[in-house]
Amino acid sequence: MASEEMEQLVRREYKQGFVTDIESDTLPPGLDESVIAFISQKKGEPQWMLDWRLEAYRRWLEMTTPSWAHLDYPPIDYQAISYFSAPKKPEDRPQSLDEVDPKLLETYEKLGIPLHERAALAGVAVDAVFDSVSVTTTFKEKLGEAGVIFCSISEAIRDYPELVQQYLGTVVPQSDNYFAALNSAVFTDGSFVYVPEGVTCPMELSTYFRINAANTGQFERTLIICDKRAQVSYLEGCTAPQRDENQLHAAVVELVALEDAYIKYSTVQNWYPGDEDGKGGIYNFVTKRGDCRGDRSRISWTQVETGSAITWKYPSCMLRGKESVGEFYSVAVTNGRQQADTGTKMIHLGENTRSTIISKGIAAGRSDQAYRGMVKIGSRAKGARNYTQCDSLLIGDQCGAHTFPYQEIGNSTATVEHEATTSKIADDQLFYCRARGIDEEDAVSMIVNGFCKDVFQELPMEFAVEAEALLNVTLEGSVG
Amino acid sequence: MLEVKNLHVTVEGKPILKGLDLTVNAGEVHAIMGPNGAGKSTLSAVIAGKDGYEVTEGSILFEGQDVLEMEIEERARAGLLLGFQYPIEIPGVKNIYLLKAALNAARAARGEGEIPAPEFMKLVREKSAEMKMDPSFLQRAVNEGFSGGEKKRNEILQMLVLQPKLAMLDEIDSGLDIDAMKVVAQGVNSLRNADRAILLVTHYQRLLNHIEPDRVHVLVDGRIAKSGDKSLALELESRGYDWVVEESAA
């Protein structure tokens, strides 16, 4: 039988299968086409969306998990994961903060998280999700006036199908990589933003509002489109350590900037890193990519990564428009047994495109991290320029930092600069501060924050303050 | 104020100080001189608490407290401050931020609250003017991109702000041209008062033309071989160190 016919038959069977299957709101572990059909149906998606998911799934089946990253983790059993589950019923969740891990509460305290938010973050069954409802409403009205669309990806598929269909998967194709393919097949949540031509989004967009209302998805899908001359600043994440039943997180973020558009995407992520041995921590395998499609467009990624047991993440820019600009500012902190393999890709395709990469890695405890950066300059990217600076700071002598720069230069008019340093948190710097009366932990945090300053100043103000607090909490106890 | 008795110090197993005695009283300026490798910088480093120096014998008392039992930061807060020969750069940390953190740490140790911002600004502006430092220095990262002279002036600025009881200045004159030396010396002289002691570690006599010491000690082979008043420094200037070395070997 030809494979095409086989495929059709398979698909038909499942189409029939899933209708009778929908009894409960939660699927048992396992992944096959009926699972995907179930998700799509639950979300009330049109046929084209289901087809797109199935196509991704079939590509995924032919792919293998990447092994090039500098990470060490046991193979993931994708059949042991449940791909759709309704939110936990209130009676199954902790009934009060007394039932929550005291260590987690201690951290909230240190980060200064307001009391009423702690419960929601810790997954406690709360009746009213504090006062964010009213905040969200005013928020939506203001955005509506400006013509900005900001909603969940599921709503967007229902309400703005033509926009989604036009852009989804055009930056990160379904088969881009193993985790992106999986995400494309099974994503259940995420954000959608569209900023119309000439509009500067009147406020910073944050998923924070949504995350407090509903649990974040395991396979998030975010799509942000900035039309000509439009601008938006999007904040992702939350400094509070978030617990999640789902160990594997494989998100996809796609950004599209048309002519003269500017997208600023900031992330402060603090997933649960696991216990001292790294047990129970989140695996974060994320594909983030921005497409500077229009001339003079600009995409800027800023990230502060402190959580997760394992991070695999490379926010990238495709610089296609002439004179378009890509930026990547990153601080990655690992402590305990955390592992991070992170970096960026800047693909210069258009003339006179520019990119800047500033990466700061801080490793403490027995953690291990790698910076992996690719700068590719195409043959038509005349006059393209890149500046890369990646610095690593080691605290203690049991951690590791590695740098893997890749450069592919396709024409002779390009300018590419790369600077890299690795330093141990200098005993001399520590001694200098202490000899001025500053105690050791404060001195470390002062030196580390100074080290990260180039990146922190790219963050929106309130995020920068939180990021500093977060850094201090993460590195607590890493000296002495 | 400071009492060093029979101090023996080894670095990586090698004896550097071999039974050093030194007493410094409030209001005095002492100069520690000596040939290279005699252990001059070791003395101030040990008093400040730098790692890598092992005290095998002897004691250091500061206002009756056992210095060797104190953490580095406790020594500084108690008023024992070291001015570095090679001040280190700390990228991204503003000079003014370090000053404020240091001052507040000392205040906290004395049970005082944090210094109010306007008061602090007034203080540092005043003191940097004394050191002929442009206020923009305060906003720059600690010592980053500073010239040799600027670094040394910055060390003295910290002293002026933190007002230590005992200021130890390690080769504060090295790498300074004559104008910078005058500014530094002026700063140090303004620190002089009846309640404060100053310990100058220097190889050359020329600094002592600008900062007049009460006592001069010559350190040879890990011990104080000769002590005297400021005329000893002048004698060293004209005769060199060899005669003291020979005298102490005899």
Side-chain angles (χ1 to χ4, degrees), chain A residues 28 40 59 117-118 135 143 170 182 205 223 240 290 297 302 333 335 339 359 375 384 393 401:
Chain A
S40 188
R59 303 291 278 275
E117 290 181 26
R118 292 182 198 173
V135 176
L143 289 175
T170 62
L182 179 64
L205 297 183
L223 177 58
S297 57
T302 306
V333 190
N335 199 351
Q339 303 175 57
S359 163
V375 176
L393 189 64

Side-chain angles (χ1 to χ4, degrees), chain A residues 436-438 446, chain B residues 96-106 120 162:
Chain A
R436 295 287 168 261
I438 298 163
M446 193 186 273
Chain B
I96 192 163
Y97 184 72
L98 178 87
L99 273 174
K100 197 173 180 184
L103 184 59
N104 282 329
F120 176 70
L162 298 174

